[in-house]
Amino acid sequence: MDRNFARAVDAYHVYRPVLDLLGRSEGTDKGDGYDERLAYGAYTGGDVDLVSMTLTQVDALQTKMLQHPKNKLNSSAVGRYQIVRITMRAIRNTLGLTGKELFDRDMQDRMACFLLGQRGIDKWLAGRLSTDTLLTNLAKEWASLPTSSGKGYYSGQRASVTVPDVKYALSQVRQRHMEGEPKQVEMVEVDKPVVPEQVEQEVRKKSGLWQWLTGLFGSGAFGFGWLTGMDWQAILAGGVVLIVVLLVLVALRSQIVAAVREIKGAVEGQG
């Protein structure tokens, strides 16, 4: 099945590897799965269609289980994830459930994922909880899971799966979580905007005098050729003109520099 399609049809796709591990470790997948009860129905008088019952009806059934004289375990575990009455009541209270909701497959998955979250799986995915701590937390919730030592958390309870089993399921959860994360957006360098029209107008106004002066010197080749055909008196007069131009440039130097700085500031302010 395509991963994207699986993610679309399964609201708990990311956590499904651990959910399936629980079905295996709790032994419920060997029996009726989502309809399974403690000791395979020994304290409910036979098979029960849990997925068709409301949460209120399941609560009543669990109370009946606890009152059964042969229930030495004093447990009311039901469903694929073997959730007991006190835990289910706490979940109902936290999630604001009315009790009229069905204890169907979706609800059981939802409750199991809620418990996974309470035990820190999302903190672990975010790198804020160590794997060993998560293993211990999960073993506290489900006695069939091992702590990092490989043993069950509760005395007298033996883990039915191994630490590598749990770590593999968690690795699959992490992979699915990462696949669902937004992809890194490649940064593309943006060209600096062109100089705005108002700044360009200011440039033309401020540089008008400079263009006139540089134009004058730009005609030097023509002027030099013209001067070569003139007598010394004309050349002397031309030299006087050049000296005057140079004096004007020196006098206007400070104004030209100020204008350039003003234009530069305007361009950078618009960038």
Side-chain angles (χ1 to χ4, degrees), residues 25 32 36 43-44 51 70 75 88 94 109 148 150 170 243:
S25 67
D32 294 332
E36 198 56 81
Y43 311 121
T44 57
V51 296
K70 294 184 179 181
S75 175
M88 196 175 302
T94 302
D109 287 348
S148 58
L170 289 174
I243 292 173

Side-chain angles (χ1 to χ4, degrees), residues 111-171:
M111 288 186 169
C113 288
F114 174 84
L115 295 176
L116 289 174
Q118 280 199 323
R119 292 300 180 177
I121 195 168
D122 295 317
K123 291 182 179 179
W124 174 76
L125 286 171
R128 295 188 287 114
L129 192 72
S130 70
T131 300
D132 285 351
T133 300
L134 178 61
L135 288 174
T136 298
N137 290 350
L138 295 178
K140 290 179 181 179
E141 190 67 53
W142 288 281
S144 62
L145 297 181
T147 63
S148 58
S149 67
K151 300 179 180 179
Y153 181 81
Y154 300 100
S155 59
Q157 289 277 10
R158 186 177 65 85
S160 58
V161 293
T162 66
V163 171
D165 289 335
V166 182
K167 287 187 175 181
Y168 177 75
L170 289 174
S171 71

Side-chain angles (χ1 to χ4, degrees), residues 8-223:
V9 299
D10 184 3
Y12 312 101
H13 170 76
V14 171
Y15 306 102
R16 185 60 58 187
V18 172
L19 296 179
D20 290 342
L21 177 69
L22 289 171
R24 171 185 164 192
S25 67
E26 292 293 323
T28 52
D29 284 354
K30 295 179 181 179
D32 294 332
Y34 289 90
D35 279 328
E36 198 56 81
R37 293 88 52 225
L38 176 69
Y40 300 101
Y43 311 121
T44 57
D47 294 339
V48 176
D49 188 11
L50 288 174
V51 296
S52 297
M53 297 174 66
T54 65
L55 298 181
T56 298
Q57 291 172 331
V58 171
D59 187 277
L61 177 67
Q62 291 178 305
T63 300
K64 179 180 177 181
M65 291 171 62
L66 291 171
Q67 295 172 345
H68 197 286
K70 294 184 179 181
N71 187 356
K72 304 301 180 181
L73 296 174
N74 195 33
S75 175
S76 55
V78 295
R80 190 188 192 201
Y81 310 109
Q82 294 292 277
I83 302 175
V84 298
R85 186 182 67 174
I86 187 173
T87 300
M88 196 175 302
R89 286 179 176 179
I91 295 174
R92 285 177 53 181
N93 182 62
T94 302
L95 297 182
L97 301 175
T98 65
K100 297 179 180 179
E101 298 86 357
L102 292 178
F103 190 57
D104 55 14
R105 297 169 63 95
D106 184 77
M107 178 60 72
Q108 292 185 41
D109 287 348
R110 180 184 178 187
M111 288 186 169
C113 288
F114 174 84
L115 295 176
L116 289 174
Q118 280 199 323
R119 292 300 180 177
I121 195 168
D122 295 317
K123 291 182 179 179
W124 174 76
L125 286 171
R128 295 188 287 114
L129 192 72
S130 70
T131 300
D132 285 351
T133 300
L134 178 61
L135 288 174
T136 298
N137 290 350
L138 295 178
K140 290 179 181 179
E141 190 67 53
W142 288 281
S144 62
L145 297 181
T147 63
S148 58
S149 67
K151 300 179 180 179
Y153 181 81
Y154 300 100
S155 59
Q157 289 277 10
R158 186 177 65 85
S160 58
V161 293
T162 66
V163 171
D165 289 335
V166 182
K167 287 187 175 181
Y168 177 75
L170 289 174
S171 71
Q172 294 298 302
V173 169
R174 185 185 294 280
Q175 180 179 339
R176 294 185 180 200
H177 171 72
M178 293 178 65
E179 289 173 350
E181 289 293 293
K183 297 294 186 296
Q184 183 71 25
V185 178
E186 183 179 355
M187 299 302 293
V188 179
E189 185 177 355
V190 180
D191 292 335
K192 190 173 182 179
V194 297
V195 178
E197 178 62 28
Q198 61 269 30
V199 175
E200 188 175 356
Q201 292 175 0
E202 189 68 16
V203 170
R204 286 197 294 267
K205 182 176 68 175
K206 296 292 183 183
S207 60
L209 176 60
W210 176 253
Q211 290 174 350
W212 179 80
L213 292 173
T214 54
L216 179 62
F217 281 99
S219 61
F222 172 78

